[in-house]
Amino acid sequence: VVMDTDFNRELGVCEYSVITHDDLTPGIFSKIAGVMAGSGLQILDAQILTRSDGIVVDTFQVTDPDYHGEPPAERRSTVGDRISAVLKGWEHVDDVLRRGARLKLTRPLPKAPEATEVRIDNETSDGYTIIDVFADDRQGLLHVITNAIFQLGLSIHAARISTRLDQVADVFYVTDPAGAKVRDHAQLERLRAGIEQAIETFLEVKAAECRKPVGSQDLKGGGNERS
């Protein structure tokens, strides 16, 4: 795992680039997004590229609400080490997310949230099924979407992640376990419904957290958490 980080002063964002091999671990993109969510980072934009030789290059543009201006090098190094540890199997992404669960939302839910929409495009690309996702953005949403795709048995070969204001417009190019497009209509519907349900459940949890009075968070131990 090769990590590279930089800070764009003009845009006020950090850029994290992760270079590794696609057979290192399943769900690489989802795990990176989970570490970033658990670390409190807000993902504004992300791109994934899988080369023909199996090298994966994932690039994320993020903001770090814990810092004004450029985060210190130690902070970026810590996040990078955490990503590397998860990808190498030294740490589980769920543990990172649990530790980060204490982080509060950095912005309120919109008064009139837009409906979540998942579109499946099987015509544009000859080799990939394309998934378009439109939803209200919340910290951790990208991990939820990509983990849902992974749990449905699909591989993400390319992605374009865009966040504008409180909305995301994400595009994923996926294949089935055999490396082919998903052609079965029933499976395509399960894919669409599964991603949509994962997003809606996640947003409902976030909405409930926002409605909790300050100081009412559950302070019990993590015995009921699932890994």
Side-chain angles (χ1 to χ4, degrees):
V1 178
V2 177
M3 292 291 313
D4 182 55
T5 68
D6 194 16
F7 182 74
N8 187 316
R9 296 184 181 278
E10 183 177 350
L11 298 178
V13 300
C14 287
E15 185 172 282
Y16 287 80
S17 297
V18 186
I19 305 171
T20 188
H21 202 276
D22 62 355
D23 64 359
L24 176 65
T25 181
I28 290 174
F29 192 63
S30 177
K31 289 175 180 176
I32 297 172
V35 171
M36 290 187 166
S39 300
L41 303 181
Q42 298 283 350
I43 299 173
L44 302 179
D45 189 273
Q47 298 181 52
I48 178 175
L49 172 66
T50 304
R51 301 187 335 197
S52 59
D53 60 359
I55 297 298
V56 175
V57 182
D58 291 353
T59 305
F60 295 78
Q61 287 189 340
V62 307
T63 58
D64 195 333
D66 288 342
Y67 298 91
H68 295 289
E70 181 177 1
E74 294 81 4
R75 162 66 166 175
R76 302 203 305 269
S77 178
T78 296
V79 174
D81 290 346
R82 198 172 290 156
I83 291 171
S84 181
V86 167
L87 294 183
K88 293 177 180 178
W90 300 346
E91 188 171 10
H92 200 288
V93 65
D94 288 349
D95 295 331
V96 178
L97 286 164
R98 271 195 291 270
R99 290 200 302 269
R102 67 184 183 277
L103 297 172
K104 297 182 181 297
L105 291 171
T106 58
R107 54 190 171 186
L109 290 168
K111 293 181 180 179
E114 298 291 333
T116 298
E117 184 177 3
V118 179
R119 301 175 185 169
I120 305 295
D121 176 3
N122 235 10
E123 304 299 328
T124 302
S125 172
D126 291 334
Y128 302 102
T129 294
I130 302 174
I131 305 171
D132 294 286
V133 179
F134 304 89
D136 288 314
D137 184 34
R138 291 294 168 264
Q139 184 175 330
L141 177 63
L142 181 58
H143 173 65
V144 169
I145 297 170
T146 52
N147 187 57
I149 293 172
F150 170 63
Q151 295 298 332
L152 287 163
L154 303 180
S155 296
I156 301 173
H157 293 267
R160 187 67 170 86
I161 313 301
S162 298
T163 305
R164 298 294 179 266
L165 298 177
D166 284 321
Q167 299 292 311
V168 297
D170 300 345
V171 183
F172 304 92
Y173 289 73
V174 306
T175 61
D176 65 15
K181 292 173 66 172
V182 182
R183 299 188 181 276
D184 181 76
H185 290 291
Q187 187 177 359
L188 288 171
E189 177 55 26
R190 286 194 298 270
L191 173 61
R192 186 201 63 75
I195 296 172
E196 189 171 290
Q197 181 59 51
I199 294 172
E200 289 298 321
T201 299
F202 172 73
L203 293 178
E204 287 171 6
V205 170
K206 288 297 183 183
E209 290 175 355
C210 268
R211 290 192 292 268
K212 282 185 180 180
V214 176
S216 67
Q217 292 182 339
D218 186 1
L219 300 180
K220 296 180 182 179
N224 292 327
E225 294 283 0
R226 293 185 178 180
S227 61

